[in-house]
Amino acid sequence: MNDAARPVRHVLILGGTTEARRLATTLAPEPSVAPEPSVAPELSLEPTLRVTTSLAGRVAAPRLPAGHVRIGGFGGPEGLARWLREHAVDALIDATHPFADTISHNAAEAAATAHVPLLALRRPGWVPGPGDTWHQVTSLDEAAAALPTLGTRIFLTTGRMGLSHFAHLTDLWFLARSVDVPEPPHPPRMEVLLDRGPFTLEAERALLRTHRIDVLVTKDSGATATSAKLTAAREAGIPVVVVRRPPVPEGVPVAADPGEAVVWLQRLFNGAAGTAN
């Protein structure tokens, strides 16, 4: 079949993660930003493929992926389902952060409504090793409740959107690392460190030492770019409060890396869709 006769397939990636950018790089050429969140004229990237990555727009200066970029929300599952139909999306890949629970459930509902195949791209979670002192919890509120018995100088790496869960802990001191400046409410005794990974082990060791950190709080994002803090905490004998990630919506197949997502797409577009392992 020549290029002109090949059907064009439209892939929508719900992005914002390293894996989403890697997948877009595999499937598409250079980045370009849509002029309006509600209108996304896709770019034909290959004879049989066009790719759009959607970003929530919560980060002031996001790293743009390859291919066409759409910034802004959809208006819930109904809005996303409408967008899928109006833009003739053939496959939807949820490559959002493992803790973006709302958009993941919206994607599952929208995909079912619009009859679009859906794949979740999720990096594997972290696993404690010898010498780790982990306190695994199911929520930020549970993490906050555990802190008064663990230490007094807390390194928060849970993102700026969750700082309100710790705002009532007035007797503890916090170092909060964030890409953008957090807005209140947040703990009254808090220093903000604006930074973006990847972070080296040497830098994480120095940070814990300089700020005299005695407890680390993190979400199980599973990213290697931010895992050095776990090694540094283990070496320093510092306890780590780890918030478990929410499960992927029931019935949604999961790929552990972009390569598995590509295999899923190949099977889907060859007429033999299968679930990724």
Side-chain angles (χ1 to χ4, degrees):
M1 182 184 295
N2 59 39
D3 288 351
R6 291 176 180 172
V8 176
R9 305 292 191 180
H10 184 189
V11 178
L12 174 62
I13 302 172
L14 303 179
T17 60
T18 300
E19 290 74 21
R21 290 192 296 272
R22 286 174 53 199
L23 179 61
T25 298
T26 300
L27 301 176
E30 297 302 317
S32 67
V33 180
E36 299 178 11
S38 60
V39 180
E42 289 74 34
L43 178 65
S44 181
L45 304 171
E46 297 197 13
T48 60
L49 192 65
R50 56 181 180 174
V51 177
T52 303
T53 296
S54 178
L55 302 177
R58 292 180 178 177
V59 177
R63 294 173 176 171
L64 296 183
H68 198 86
V69 180
R70 176 195 182 282
I71 297 178
F74 290 95
E78 298 84 3
L80 177 53
R82 183 169 54 252
W83 201 95
L84 295 174
R85 289 191 294 262
E86 291 177 351
H87 293 80
V89 173
D90 297 287
L92 174 61
I93 297 181
D94 173 15
T96 56
H97 192 276
F99 283 83
D101 197 31
T102 299
I103 185 60
S104 292
H105 281 86
N106 288 351
E109 183 177 338
T113 299
H115 305 289
V116 173
L118 169 64
L119 176 75
L121 175 54
R122 292 288 186 274
R123 65 179 80 113
W126 290 321
V127 178
D132 282 321
T133 305
W134 284 17
H135 300 264
Q136 299 194 49
V137 298
T138 60
S139 68
L140 291 176
D141 286 333
E142 196 175 328
L147 291 180
T149 63
L150 295 177
T152 59
R153 297 183 66 82
I154 318 299
F155 183 24
L156 274 181
T157 63
T158 56
R160 64 187 175 90
M161 305 299 290
L163 295 181
S164 62
H165 296 268
F166 304 89
H168 64 287
L169 297 173
T170 57
D171 293 334
L172 305 181
W173 182 88
F174 292 87
L175 175 66
R177 185 161 63 193
S178 174
V179 175
D180 295 318
V181 178
E183 297 180 358
H186 51 64
R189 301 176 62 205
M190 185 181 78
E191 179 179 333
V192 177
L193 176 61
L194 297 180
D195 205 353
R196 190 200 303 256
F199 305 106
T200 66
L201 178 57
E202 292 75 13
E204 298 293 61
R205 287 168 176 159
L207 184 149
L208 297 181
R209 185 170 56 251
T210 300
H211 295 279
R212 296 179 287 117
I213 299 299
D214 55 16
V215 183
L216 167 65
V217 182
T218 188
K219 291 179 177 179
D220 179 16
S221 64
T224 57
T226 58
S227 63
K229 62 191 172 189
L230 299 174
T231 303
R234 180 192 312 131
E235 293 176 349
I238 293 173
V240 182
V241 179
V242 180
V243 183
R244 296 189 186 98
R245 60 175 63 178
V248 171
E250 186 177 357
V252 177
V254 179
D257 57 52
E260 288 188 8
V262 170
V263 170
W264 181 83
L265 286 171
Q266 290 172 336
R267 291 174 178 170
L268 177 67
F269 294 156
N270 286 337
T275 60
N277 294 325

